[in-house]
Structures are given as structure tokens and as C-alpha cells.
Amino acid sequence: MSKLISWDNVMDQSLKIPGMKINRFDYLSEAFSAYGDANLLIDKRPCDIYNQVVIEKIANDAITKHLRITSATSTMAGIPGGFAMFGTVPADLAQFYGHVLLLSQKLGYIYGWPDLLDENQKVTEGTRNML
């Protein structure tokens, strides 16, 4: 009998890929560096420091970035057409869900979620449920 594929299994395997886990402080420091001292974000949420306009701009920038990358990649994957679609469709779906996971982590951090990884940089049950 074949092994049942679930969203939790897919997400767990995806988050094991290098670059799929976003470090909260590193990301927030980079994203908010143009708006003041990002070192304050170690212990605080962005909404405690920055106004809603700045937070919305950072969130919209993250969404736009991932939307552009995903759209461009999907377009390139669809160009060959024909029998190549057997290989490009699974790859396109994988890159799409990869960007969904990355963006959901970023938006969570922007809107005040605590670090989604435990002290060993492992994915917790709470992270899995939130994502």
C-alpha cells in the first residue's frame, strides 16, 4: 500500500530544505533597517515600534517580491509545453508552495508572531499548525 501524502509531511520535508526557514531577527533587521534601529526587534514585535503604515509597506513589499518570483518561474516553466509539462508542473507546484511557506513566515514575523523555530532551530508543532 502506498504511503499517504499529507500537508504536514510535505511541509516538514519542505522546511528541511536549506533556505526554507526564515530567521526572525535576521529577516526583521533587514526588512526594517531603513526605518530605524532594527536591533529593538530582538525582544519586541514590529507593531510595538513602527506605525501601521510602515508595517503594511514591509508586508506589501514581501508579498510583491514573492508574487513576482513565483509568477516569473511559473511562466518560464510553462513555455516548453507538450510533454515537458510532466516535469515542469510538479516543479512549478513545489516552487509555489515553497514561496507560500517563506511568505507566511515573513508575514507572521512582520505582524508580531514570535520566533517559529525552537532553540535548536527545529520546527515546533505550533509552527506547523500556524503555517
Side-chain angles (χ1 to χ4, degrees):
M1 186 170 208
S2 67
K3 185 177 179 180
L4 188 63
I5 298 175
S6 72
W7 171 244
D8 284 346
N9 291 341
V10 171
M11 186 170 39
D12 286 341
Q13 294 304 313
S14 298
L15 289 171
K16 289 179 183 176
I17 298 170
M20 289 303 294
K21 291 185 239 178
I22 303 292
N23 179 290
R24 179 186 179 276
F25 180 69
D26 291 346
Y27 172 68
L28 291 177
S29 295
E30 179 184 325
F32 287 94
S33 64
Y35 298 98
D37 186 10
N39 288 325
L40 299 172
L41 294 167
I42 292 173
D43 299 326
K44 294 185 179 185
R45 301 176 308 162
C47 62
D48 295 336
I49 302 167
Y50 303 100
N51 65 37
Q52 192 64 28
V53 173
V54 170
I55 291 172
E56 290 293 322
K57 180 178 180 346
I58 299 290
N60 286 332
D61 288 349
I63 292 167
T64 301
K65 175 186 173 188
H66 286 281
L67 178 66
R68 286 182 179 160
I69 293 169
T70 302
S71 297
T73 305
S74 292
T75 301
M76 295 304 290
I79 288 175
F83 287 111
M85 298 301 278
F86 289 111
T88 59
V89 169
D92 186 31
L93 286 172
Q95 70 88 22
F96 171 79
Y97 283 111
H99 282 283
V100 167
L101 286 172
L102 289 171
L103 184 58
S104 62
Q105 290 175 77
K106 288 179 180 181
L107 291 176
Y109 293 149
I110 290 169
Y111 286 105
W113 279 85
D115 201 341
L116 299 174
L117 305 174
D118 66 12
E119 56 276 349
N120 298 321
Q121 296 298 301
K122 301 277 186 193
V123 177
T124 65
E125 186 67 27
T127 299
R128 222 179 344 283
N129 292 336
M130 197 273 307
L131 293 176

